[in-house]
Amino acid sequence: MSGTGRTGDGHGRLGSRLSGLAVAVGCVLFLGGFGWAAVVYKPYTVPTESMTPTVHAGDRVLAERIDGSEVRRGDVVVFTDPTWGAVPMVKRVVGIGGDTIACCDKGRLEVNGKPIEEPYLHTKNLASVNDFTADVPKGQLFLLGDERSASLDSRVHLDDPGQGSVPRSAVQARVDAIAWPPNGMVGRPQAFASLPGGVSSPGPLRLQLGAVAVGAVLILGGAAYGPLKAWSVRSARRRSERVTADAH
């Protein structure tokens, strides 16, 4: 009987250690995931409807802090440029340095003579209400809104130096997800993937959210061990007492 008692006590101590370890690891993952995300991402509130339907005015987005050199065609970026009003704006990059942007053959945008399918447009086959052509200087970006009939974008600045483009250094971040209202990740348009440089890779947001979720499960599971163990012991004791009482 004494050997059995020691075994049960050992199992209890092992369970307590494991539950404590689960809580500790869970805290590291939970807090680490949040801390990592806070370093990598910055929240922004979209100011206008110019990116409808991808994002709407008032949406809270999570944008990955990046250097302008990392921007690829198709990215939705947050940028600030004095010519555009010196306030953070959200637009889609459709051209980079060396590109020739033209519109509109059958309602489609062309990049270096290649028609681009844009399924994210608010109005299908309406890449622009007005025809235009622009040559993007080296180190610059040509930006359009997804709501082409209402967006004030590079087309408005075609007569400015650079034909409406902005320097890469103006980019502060790349939009990865819509946080509120919750609407998931912002995808990379595959129409730009076949062009030189391809499209950018998603940021680490999914991995960060996974770390937070796993951490929360470990914390809750580890914290629940003690109360569940106590409940199990009390239940076993009551059963034993009932068996003893019935025997008498």
Side-chain angles (χ1 to χ4, degrees), residues 58-60 178-184:
D59 285 358
R60 293 282 285 178
I178 302 170
W180 192 261
N183 203 20

Side-chain angles (χ1 to χ4, degrees), residues 101-200:
I101 312 298
C103 197
C104 294
D105 176 35
K106 298 180 181 179
R108 293 180 297 180
L109 189 75
E110 291 186 358
V111 178
N112 302 328
K114 176 181 173 60
I116 303 296
E117 296 295 334
E118 300 183 278
Y120 45 77
L121 291 182
H122 185 260
T123 304
K124 187 177 180 181
N125 295 327
L126 181 61
S128 177
V129 292
N130 298 313
D131 293 350
F132 69 90
T133 301
D135 295 316
V136 187
K138 184 177 180 181
Q140 301 277 111
L141 303 169
F142 197 85
L143 303 120
L144 299 177
D146 289 354
E147 171 47 291
R148 300 287 163 81
S149 63
S151 176
L152 300 178
D153 45 40
S154 289
R155 295 169 297 172
V156 178
H157 301 279
L158 288 171
D159 293 331
D160 296 343
Q163 290 191 274
S165 61
V166 302
R168 284 182 174 269
S169 58
V171 174
Q172 302 166 13
R174 175 170 52 217
V175 176
D176 244 11
I178 302 170
W180 192 261
N183 203 20
M185 304 292 289
V186 176
R188 306 300 195 260
Q190 290 307 301
F192 294 100
S194 61
L195 295 172
V199 295
S200 62

